[in-house]
Amino acid sequence: MSDALLPWQPASWAEVMQLRGRFPHALLLHGPEGIGKTRFGERLAQSLLCEQPLADGQPCDVCPACGWFSQYAHPDYRRVRPENLDESASEEGDAEPVKTAKAAKAPSKEIRIEQIRALGDFMNVSTHRRGRRVVLLHPAEALNAVASNALLKTLEEPPPDTVFILVSHNIDRLLPTILSRCRKVPMSLPEPGQALAWLKSQGVDDAESWLAEQGGAPLAALEEAEGGSREAIDALLSHLAKPSADAVLKTADILQKSAPSDVTGWLQRWLYDLFSVKFSGRIRYYPKYRREIEALALRADARQLLAALKQMSDRRAIADHPLSAKLFIEDMLLDYSNVFA
């Protein structure tokens, strides 16, 4: 279940292990998405439950506790996350799945109060192995308002021998009162060379492009690469590099099988690069298109670029549920073309 640490994580691990003698009741791992924070949190949870951890605090991977953990079956471990992240609602070791009235209802993207309440019995009985019980909750910003308040009450009066590990991609979206009750551990993007070497070791072709397009986040780059969306991304980038209202329908046809939220993200990053190169000369996401981006930045009006960026942020909020995916994408591409009309 829980893989070894990623190459850029030993320093963060050493920092957390300094707390081992008096471990906080709540730890918050925070940083950019796609750098392996949840994987780190799972490894830490396994370590806290391991019966014979190694000298550096790593779990042994051979004791009974590690065996149960690897099968999501450790009786003193629970994982809480939104339903849409669950590949199998029946995995042992998770908090009890929330039953919905309609089987066809889309999985929730929120962590709901039922999931927090389901931890009650788990936290109020003795541990099975006379050690700690551990709850891994991710991403913490998925907590809805009611669930946040329920979790806060638990953190204010933490049960004995219980450790909460929270993972967040954006701590600004968490309640300040939750933040104040957690020991915060920042986790940063790896060095580009280190991230690139790891991606290549995973067999990723054109690793440089995938890594740049995900802002330097290697696990996000790996996920995109394995998703097989290169053709769609390249079609979009070719269109953005040479915007034309006449080509919008053709490009939208190619992109209609892609998730609108993905297309929105790709376009949003392109606009960010346009704005960035116009005012600082820097390109973050699409360095292969530097020449095209620089030429477009000269043509674009700064106010129009700002307006386009704001519009994309608004679209991002509804991109998961557009009335028509194709029309949604067509509308985005037409608005983009108008910036250079």
Side-chain angles (χ1 to χ4, degrees):
M1 169 185 171
S2 180
D3 297 319
L5 294 178
L6 293 161
W8 52 89
Q9 293 179 335
S12 296
W13 184 267
E15 177 185 350
V16 172
M17 285 302 105
Q18 291 178 0
L19 309 172
R20 185 109 194 186
R22 193 174 180 181
F23 209 83
H25 71 274
L27 198 73
L28 174 61
L29 309 174
H30 65 94
E33 188 171 2
I35 62 172
K37 298 185 304 297
T38 302
R39 182 164 161 170
F40 183 97
E42 288 184 335
R43 190 68 175 170
L44 178 57
Q46 182 181 350
S47 171
L48 293 172
L49 295 168
C50 178
E51 296 175 2
Q52 46 189 31
L54 305 180
D56 64 353
Q58 290 274 349
C60 69
D61 292 319
V62 296
C63 71
C66 285
W68 297 331
F69 195 91
S70 68
Q71 300 175 50
Y72 294 96
H74 198 294
D76 296 325
Y77 175 63
R78 293 292 185 273
R79 184 180 58 190
V80 181
R81 57 185 183 174
E83 289 175 347
N84 71 316
L85 294 183
D86 275 311
E87 294 179 1
S88 172
S90 63
E91 284 177 336
E92 292 186 59
D94 282 356
E96 288 296 320
V98 180
K99 296 180 180 179
T100 56
K102 297 181 180 179
K105 185 177 180 181
S108 174
K109 295 183 178 181
E110 296 182 335
I111 295 175
R112 299 183 291 176
I113 189 169
E114 293 89 347
Q115 293 170 276
I116 303 302
R117 286 175 175 165
L119 295 171
D121 292 340
F122 167 68
M123 294 186 296
N124 291 321
V125 297
S126 299
T127 60
H128 289 69
R129 304 294 287 183
R130 300 181 182 177
R132 294 186 176 100
R133 61 175 71 85
V134 181
V135 177
L136 175 66
L137 186 149
H138 71 94
E141 56 268 24
L143 286 156
N144 64 27
V146 182
S148 291
N149 287 321
L151 177 65
L152 177 59
K153 291 179 181 178
T154 300
L155 297 181
E156 287 174 338
E157 299 180 11
D161 302 317
T162 301
V163 174
F164 280 84
I165 301 172
L166 279 65
V167 177
S168 174
H169 311 313
N170 186 356
I171 62 173
D172 292 337
R173 293 173 57 190
L174 301 182
L175 289 177
T177 42
I178 286 181
L179 293 177
S180 67
R181 285 162 176 80
C182 297
R183 176 68 177 261
K184 292 179 281 294
V185 177
M187 302 184 73
S188 304
L189 288 168
E191 292 294 326
Q194 197 173 37
L196 192 58
W198 179 81
L199 272 179
K200 289 180 177 178
S201 74
Q202 305 301 304
V204 175
D205 295 326
D206 196 15
E208 293 89 346
S209 294
W210 288 113
L211 186 62
E213 288 167 10
Q214 295 303 315
L219 270 74
L222 178 62
E223 182 178 355
E224 281 288 304
E226 291 179 341
S229 54
R230 187 75 263 167
E231 181 182 354
I233 294 175
D234 287 343
L236 174 65
L237 296 181
S238 295
H239 175 79
L240 298 180
K242 297 180 180 180
S244 165
D246 294 336
V248 164
L249 294 180
K250 180 180 178 181
T251 305
D253 281 338
I254 297 173
L255 295 171
Q256 63 179 322
K257 293 183 180 179
S258 300
S261 57
D262 289 342
V263 179
T264 305
W266 301 334
L267 179 49
Q268 192 173 34
R269 292 178 194 129
W270 179 273
L271 286 168
Y272 175 89
D273 272 355
L274 272 172
F275 191 83
S276 179
V277 80
K278 189 173 185 69
F279 291 97
S280 69
R282 297 176 182 174
I283 290 181
R284 179 180 182 185
Y285 297 106
Y286 302 110
K288 286 176 65 174
Y289 286 83
R290 172 174 282 277
R291 185 176 63 181
E292 291 86 350
I293 290 173
E294 287 176 340
L296 289 168
L298 289 174
R299 292 171 53 189
D301 178 79
R303 288 173 296 181
Q304 285 183 300
L305 277 180
L306 275 173
L309 276 167
K310 182 182 183 304
Q311 191 175 49
M312 290 306 299
S313 295
D314 295 339
R315 281 193 167 108
R316 199 79 186 259
I318 61 171
D320 287 320
H321 303 289
L323 295 176
S324 167
K326 186 178 178 181
L327 289 177
F328 182 83
I329 293 170
E330 286 177 4
D331 191 45
M332 282 196 299
L333 297 181
L334 281 171
D335 283 344
Y336 172 79
S337 297
N338 289 336
V339 174
F340 304 98

